[in-house]
Amino acid sequence: MQIARVALDVPLHRLFDYLVPEREELSAADVGLRVCVPFGRRSRIGIVVELPHTSELAIERLKPIEAVLRDLPALPADWFRLCEFCATYYQAPLGEVMLSTLPASLRRIAPPKARTNHRRTKPPPPCDPPELTAEQQGALNLIAAAERGFKAYLLHGVTGSGKTEVYLRLIERALADHRQVLLLVPEINLTPQLETRVAARFPSVDLVSLHSELSEAARTRNWRAALDGRARIVLGTRLAIFTPLPDLGLIIVDEEHDVSFKQQDGIRYSARDIAVFRARDRGIPIVLGSATPSLESWANATDHRTPARYTLLSLHQRAIDSARLPVVQRIDTRTEKLQDGLSGALLLAIEKRLARGEQSLIFLNRRGYAPVLACTNCGWISHCTRCAANLVLHLLDRRLRCHHCGSESPVPKACPTCGNQDIQAFGRGTQRLESTLAERYPEARILRVDRDSARNRKQWQALAERIHSGEADILVGTQMLAKGHDFPKLTLVGALGADAALFASDWRSPERLFAQLMQVAGRAGRAEWPGEVLIQTQFPDHPLYAALVRHDYPAFADVQLREREQAAFPPYTFQAMLRAEAPHMADALAFLETAKAWPQAENFDEVMRYDPVPMRLARRANFERAQLLIESPSRRALQTYLGAWGAALAGIKLPAHLRWHLEVDPLEF
Ligand code: ADP
Ligand code: ZN
Ligand code: ZN
């Protein structure tokens, strides 16, 4: 009797053996087919991983496979290696990795018939490639001169320097080579524009997109087209990194620094890091592009002590001759008096734009009306009852909302504690800024762009179109506005409240702030109109702002990396975080103490274990949260440790309602 070893979507670190019915006999080429198997009381879809000769279980105890599904080609061997890498590196069960990366309809019994008509959105007008700038040509020559095989490039180019054009030329080469191309972008919002641009360049090439807002049928259809080789270009967000691509010849990761590449729940993988593994495994080039690369990537490309792992390609100038980088200025708010949070210099600059019919963007990374509502009499403040956080006042629909757990309540008419009717909004969010500006400039058309006004891709696109067609004079927005869009009439960016990130307790905050400010600054003056950026700050001499004024990412990055090295922070050390949450903090901490006290830990002298501590947001949605940091100067040592420790963790007896997870290379603290 033939045995098949099957991966199932269950939270267990093991595979399951089944008998293959004679009529269904499998050959080596059938490894990678989906099967339907009995599991517990029901049937499940699994993937055949191996055809072993023996099983740990006695043959009589093995159950037979119910059906072998041949509606899809077998998943290819390199896809298996990708999933195996992900499972090992992130300490996740292989079956969970494999099945969770399939479109939902393919992991269910009796999948709905995917419609086969391959609809394409109407083809955009074809467009001829521009002549390359010297810098673009230089970057391409370097890549073209390389031998075939794996090579990782970090394409660092200021906003508007023409990185996308470099991608397009590389894609052209790969297509001519009969290879498939995988192009990853951080946000769903960015896929349609890029899709239009790529489709216009390659009108006769099959291009599919993969992201979470596609209908299930569309996602299944696109995924299949990738697997059977019909789709030659796959454009997608982080989940697309797992698309099986038999002819894959090039991977591009745009805005590689973006935290959206990191999955924040379930299997906490970094799509960018997996992409580098995948390129190496397939022996193909990968290009990571950004105006503000992650410090990890920057170190990989510039570290002089070890041979650089990535090749650095730099574009210093904007691609369009007339498009100059914007002038960035600091406004010292210690000396300038603010009116409703706005400095005279910024107001004047806005008025100039209004007079000239140009657009201004005021950037404030905090949505809602005000971060807190408070009683001036007794000191009551609007607290979330489920989280250790304030409720944010949203005045438009008169609600108090928790940005951590989503719970909400109506705005009280009087203080719930003392009955005082004079309760006030403190601080400033995008809604308040919007109404301040509306009062000051009643004729101006003001548009707010944040997660409240653009809840999904459609709404955001509608807003973007209005901005693009000049239907707005002043934009008020969060980082949503910072990404990717070209607004030709936008010539002024004002940044408010940026200082908070300078001294935040998360040591990655400056890196994120710099990237965000570079990105918003990049929105100003993209076409013929020069741009101006005004940053309101109490710390105008801070080196971060000084580097920003000079558009000098390398200087900023080098200072940050030196600090990180001295403090032995990543990328000079490798980390994993064990997190636990429970109704009571004591339970969460006790679990972490038990985990830390693992007797075999003594054998790993390169691995450092810190003490369990409550998380910064110590309570969320009625769960108290704590974490335990594990660290090592050696990635390999950390991996070995985690492999052994992970198995031990699974054996710890848990109190009721305790949940835990392990995150490798955590990004947030
Ligand atoms: P990035 O991706 O670096 O932000 P883009 O590729 O979007 O930059 O290019 C910015 C602008 O410059 C776009 O409008 C693009 O069409 C234009 N552009 C890019 N390369 C060239 C070139 N070689 N000649 C003229 N225009 C170019
Ligand atoms: Zn009160
Ligand atoms: Zn809450």
Side-chain angles (χ1 to χ4, degrees):
M1 274 293 234
Q2 194 179 25
I3 302 168
R5 194 153 291 161
V6 173
L8 291 173
D9 188 6
V10 290
L12 295 172
H13 286 261
R14 49 166 297 201
L15 300 167
F16 300 87
D17 290 349
Y18 288 91
L19 289 178
V20 183
E22 252 157 59
R23 64 190 142 80
E24 297 271 27
E25 194 177 339
L26 299 174
S27 72
D30 293 331
V31 168
L33 284 179
R34 279 146 56 253
V35 288
C36 186
V37 295
F39 187 84
R41 283 156 178 269
R42 59 191 195 95
S43 300
R44 283 176 182 262
I45 297 284
I47 296 170
V48 178
V49 173
E50 212 186 322
L51 299 171
H53 295 297
T54 57
S55 175
E56 277 176 20
L57 288 179
I59 284 273
E60 316 78 71
R61 298 192 49 200
L62 297 182
K63 292 183 183 150
I65 288 174
E66 289 163 355
V68 176
L69 306 175
R70 295 179 182 272
D71 57 335
L72 273 189
L75 289 152
D78 71 312
W79 181 84
F80 271 76
R81 291 195 299 274
L82 187 68
C83 292
E84 270 159 14
F85 167 77
C86 181
T88 310
Y89 190 81
Y90 295 105
Q91 302 293 320
L94 181 61
E96 242 178 45
V97 173
M98 287 184 155
L99 285 131
S100 68
T101 66
L102 300 188
S105 67
L106 298 177
R107 45 185 140 102
R108 272 202 308 264
I109 308 285
K113 255 209 141 10
R115 271 180 301 155
T116 43
N117 62 325
H118 187 58
R119 263 185 310 139
R120 281 201 64 164
T121 36
K122 63 175 180 311
C127 94
D128 287 332
E131 207 170 307
L132 295 173
T133 66
E135 285 187 325
Q136 286 170 328
Q137 189 65 61
L140 284 166
N141 288 349
L142 236 152
I143 299 177
E147 289 167 37
R148 274 174 180 275
F150 167 70
K151 206 163 166 82
Y153 299 91
L154 179 62
L155 178 60
H156 168 236
V158 298
T159 48
S161 59
K163 292 184 290 296
T164 312
E165 184 58 37
V166 173
Y167 303 155
L168 291 171
R169 301 297 175 112
L170 292 171
I171 293 172
E172 187 181 3
R173 243 174 38 124
L175 293 174
D177 241 9
H178 308 289
R179 300 295 209 114
Q180 286 173 300
V181 177
L182 178 59
L183 175 50
L184 294 183
V185 293
E187 293 249 349
I188 297 162
N189 290 331
L190 299 182
T191 54
Q193 310 159 56
L194 198 56
E195 199 175 338
T196 313
R197 230 169 129 179
V198 178
R201 183 63 62 85
F202 309 106
S204 59
V205 174
D206 253 315
L207 160 72
V208 300
S209 63
L210 282 171
H211 54 75
S212 58
E213 280 198 18
L214 288 179
S215 70
E216 201 174 304
R219 191 177 158 211
T220 307
R221 186 174 351 111
N222 291 352
W223 192 89
R224 276 168 180 261
L227 170 60
D228 66 23
R230 262 177 306 144
R232 305 311 291 175
I233 306 175
V234 172
L235 198 167
T237 53
R238 64 170 179 266
L239 58 87
I241 187 57
F242 292 104
T243 318
L245 292 156
D247 305 326
L248 183 62
L250 169 69
I251 304 177
I252 297 168
V253 183
D254 191 25
E255 309 287 1
E256 67 90 30
H257 65 279
D258 201 293
V259 292
S260 316
F261 285 120
K262 181 80 190 263
Q263 167 102 4
Q264 299 288 7
D265 50 28
I267 302 159
R268 292 165 165 79
Y269 64 89
S270 156
R272 178 198 60 214
D273 295 350
I274 294 185
V276 175
F277 166 85
R278 189 168 187 182
R280 181 182 294 117
D281 179 66
R282 294 260 336 196
I284 60 171
I286 177 168
V287 178
L288 309 174
S290 176
T292 51
S294 64
L295 290 177
E296 280 78 3
S297 296
W298 188 252
N300 274 330
T302 60
D303 201 327
H304 300 297
R305 291 160 316 167
T306 55
R309 272 176 278 196
Y310 298 172
T311 302
L312 181 64
L313 308 168
S314 294
L315 307 177
H316 302 94
Q317 249 110 50
R318 285 196 159 177
I320 298 175
D321 250 355
S322 55
R324 297 269 157 264
L325 286 169
V327 176
V328 181
Q329 283 174 350
R330 292 155 284 189
I331 301 175
D332 187 344
T333 54
R334 291 168 310 182
T335 52
E336 268 231 35
K337 207 167 149 311
L338 299 183
Q339 308 169 44
D340 296 319
L342 299 163
S343 63
L346 181 54
L347 290 170
L348 200 66
I350 294 174
E351 282 152 27
K352 260 195 220 154
R353 294 332 186 270
L354 289 173
R356 296 204 299 247
E358 298 172 10
Q359 283 173 333
S360 309
L361 156 61
I362 314 299
F363 175 69
L364 173 60
N365 225 351
R366 189 192 285 141
R367 68 198 165 86
Y369 184 83
V372 68
L373 190 66
C375 171
T376 49
N377 182 36
C378 77
W380 168 86
I381 57 174
S382 55
H383 248 325
C384 178
T385 54
R386 313 171 68 213
C387 306
N390 293 335
L391 290 175
V392 176
L393 174 62
H394 288 244
L395 213 50
L396 287 183
D397 47 1
R398 300 201 60 81
R399 305 290 283 176
L400 289 171
R401 220 166 255 141
C402 176
H403 288 188
H404 296 285
C405 73
S407 70
E408 46 179 274
S409 54
V411 177
K413 293 205 167 50
C415 171
T417 312
C418 75
N420 172 24
Q421 301 211 333
D422 184 27
I423 44 177
Q424 287 181 11
F426 284 92
R428 197 164 277 102
T430 45
Q431 286 181 5
R432 186 173 206 168
L433 185 56
E434 181 189 16
S435 55
T436 301
L437 288 164
E439 262 170 50
R440 195 173 276 277
Y441 305 116
E443 308 82 53
R445 296 161 303 171
I446 300 173
L447 208 61
R448 180 169 47 85
V449 181
D450 55 26
R451 295 246 173 259
D452 297 318
S453 69
R455 285 175 197 275
N456 56 40
R457 187 159 70 98
K458 267 217 178 81
Q459 286 178 358
W460 167 222
Q461 273 189 289
L463 285 176
E465 259 158 46
R466 285 174 63 190
I467 302 170
H468 211 94
S469 63
E471 277 177 50
D473 303 310
I474 305 177
L475 317 173
V476 173
T478 57
Q479 59 175 345
M480 266 193 102
L481 261 177
K483 290 180 186 173
H485 269 268
D486 257 340
F487 300 127
K489 288 181 111 185
L490 182 68
T491 60
L492 171 68
V493 171
L496 311 186
D499 287 344
L502 290 180
F503 310 105
S505 58
D506 186 340
W507 44 269
R508 279 188 220 266
S509 291
E511 178 182 358
R512 292 199 198 108
L513 176 65
F514 191 88
Q516 271 175 12
L517 291 177
M518 269 302 243
Q519 298 280 342
V520 272
R523 299 302 115 215
R526 288 208 125 195
E528 309 79 62
W529 310 20
E532 185 181 17
V533 179
L534 300 178
I535 299 170
Q536 293 192 172
T537 170
Q538 297 192 49
F539 307 94
D541 299 326
H542 194 284
L544 187 149
Y545 295 132
L548 199 71
V549 165
R550 300 194 312 268
H551 299 277
D552 195 349
Y553 169 81
F556 167 75
D558 293 342
V559 170
Q560 284 282 314
L561 282 177
R562 228 172 301 135
E563 283 178 19
R564 297 246 185 121
E565 188 173 17
Q566 271 162 15
F569 280 158
Y572 301 99
T573 188
F574 300 92
Q575 299 181 327
M577 191 73 91
L578 180 65
R579 295 205 177 92
E581 48 180 39
H584 301 289
M585 183 58 84
D587 285 340
L589 289 169
F591 167 80
L592 296 178
E593 285 294 353
T594 311
K596 184 183 173 184
W598 179 49
Q600 284 179 54
E602 307 303 327
N603 307 335
F604 296 86
D605 50 8
E606 276 187 288
V607 174
M608 160 97 178
R609 295 161 301 143
Y610 289 79
D611 286 328
V613 290
M615 287 175 66
R616 194 150 35 95
L617 183 65
R619 191 158 49 95
R620 189 175 68 187
N622 283 334
F623 272 83
E624 312 229 296
R625 318 178 328 139
Q627 61 190 19
L628 165 63
L629 178 64
I630 308 291
E631 200 175 83
S632 173
S634 150
R635 199 194 283 277
R636 179 165 303 162
L638 182 66
Q639 278 288 314
T640 314
Y641 177 89
L642 293 178
W645 193 47
L649 292 179
I652 300 179
K653 202 166 149 11
L654 304 178
H657 306 302
L658 186 137
R659 305 187 286 232
W660 63 267
H661 71 261
L662 186 61
E663 179 168 1
V664 181
D665 303 329
L667 281 185
E668 303 203 23
F669 281 78

